[in-house]
């Protein structure tokens, strides 16, 4: 932490130092400090998507999902083709119970990474929560075809209870 602070003291325009310092602070549970660092980075680089993305991750870690959604959406405005932003946006939307929006986020991510098993898996979770059994099963099959290890996870995931009982 001190090393990154020293770098920023002497080179306050070093974009990566803001992100790395924020990440280390977040990992250490110093979430408010991390958010402050990202906001300082945004003062220097207002169009840099990574600060919003990292803010979204930190906000999600602290259960502040509404704020995380806002941060991820700002990141997407700056870098719309980054599938990882959509992935985390979808996860935050699930936490808020906004399943239709989460499905759209995962579908958008699949446009940029069409063979990602986790995206298909998460999309199947959303459709199961929406009680759309056939679509959920179709996406779950695709996920398992790509990564067979997801099969055991699906068996224990409570999000699939609707499918199991129907």
């Amino acid at each position: 932490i001190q090393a990154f602070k020293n770098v920023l003291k002497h080179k306050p325009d070093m974009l990566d130092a803001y992100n790395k310092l924020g990440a280390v602070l977040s990992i250490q549970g110093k979430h408010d400090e991390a958010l402050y660092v990202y906001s300082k980075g945004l003062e220097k680089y207002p169009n840099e998507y990574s600060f919003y993305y990292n803010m979204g991750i930190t906000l999600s870690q602290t259960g502040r999902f509404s704020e995380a959604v806002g941060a991820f959406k700002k990141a997407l405005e700056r870098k719309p083709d980054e599938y990882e932003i959509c992935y985390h946006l979808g996860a935050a939307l699930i936490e808020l119970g906004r399943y239709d929006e989460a499905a759209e986020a995962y579908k958008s991510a699949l446009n940029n990474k069409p063979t990602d098993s986790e995206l298909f898996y998460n999309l199947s979770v959303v459709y199961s929560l929406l009680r759309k059994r056939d679509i959920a099963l179709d996406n779950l099959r695709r996920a398992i075809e790509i990564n067979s290890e997801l099969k055991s996870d699906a068996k224990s995931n409570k999000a699939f209870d609707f499918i199991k009982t129907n």
Side-chain angles (χ1 to χ4, degrees):
I1 290 173
Q2 193 56 49
F4 286 123
K5 286 181 177 180
N6 286 339
V7 168
L8 289 171
K9 182 178 178 181
H10 298 292
K11 293 190 175 196
D13 60 339
M14 189 171 240
L15 185 144
D16 283 341
Y18 289 101
N19 275 321
K20 303 247 190 254
L21 175 58
V24 170
L25 289 166
S26 188
I27 289 167
Q28 290 190 353
K30 299 175 181 178
H31 299 105
D32 289 336
E33 287 181 62
L35 293 169
Y36 176 78
V37 169
Y38 297 137
S39 67
K40 285 304 206 184
L42 281 168
E43 289 176 13
K44 289 268 184 205
Y45 300 96
N47 292 316
E48 177 54 38
Y49 85 96
S50 63
F51 295 126
Y52 286 111
Y53 173 75
N54 288 328
M55 283 177 144
I57 298 292
T58 300
L59 290 163
S60 290
Q61 290 171 339
T62 60
R64 295 162 60 183
F65 298 109
S66 291
E67 292 172 83
V69 166
F72 290 132
K73 286 184 176 182
K74 287 179 181 175
L76 277 173
E77 288 171 8
R78 286 151 180 82
K79 188 148 175 119
D81 60 341
E82 183 59 52
Y83 84 94
E84 286 185 26
I85 301 169
C86 294
Y87 178 90
H88 290 286
L89 172 60
L93 289 165
I94 286 174
E95 292 293 333
L96 294 171
R98 294 164 54 183
Y99 303 133
D100 289 320
E101 291 175 74
E104 291 306 312
Y106 289 132
K107 285 191 253 181
S108 178
L110 280 167
N111 287 334
N112 294 309
K113 194 159 184 193
T115 59
D116 189 288
S117 62
E118 291 291 325
L119 290 171
F120 280 113
Y121 183 85
N122 289 343
L123 195 53
S124 69
V125 165
V126 170
Y127 282 122
S128 183
L129 293 169
L130 285 168
R131 301 192 176 286
K132 296 183 178 183
R133 185 179 78 80
D134 292 339
I135 301 171
L137 285 172
D138 182 48
N139 282 287
L140 184 57
R141 281 187 196 103
R142 289 181 184 176
I144 292 170
E145 285 172 6
I146 298 167
N147 180 357
S148 62
E149 293 176 15
L150 292 173
K151 188 174 187 175
S152 63
D153 186 60
K155 288 179 181 179
S156 62
N157 190 329
K158 292 192 179 297
F160 294 118
D161 285 351
F162 169 74
I163 293 172
K164 293 173 194 171
T165 58
N166 292 286

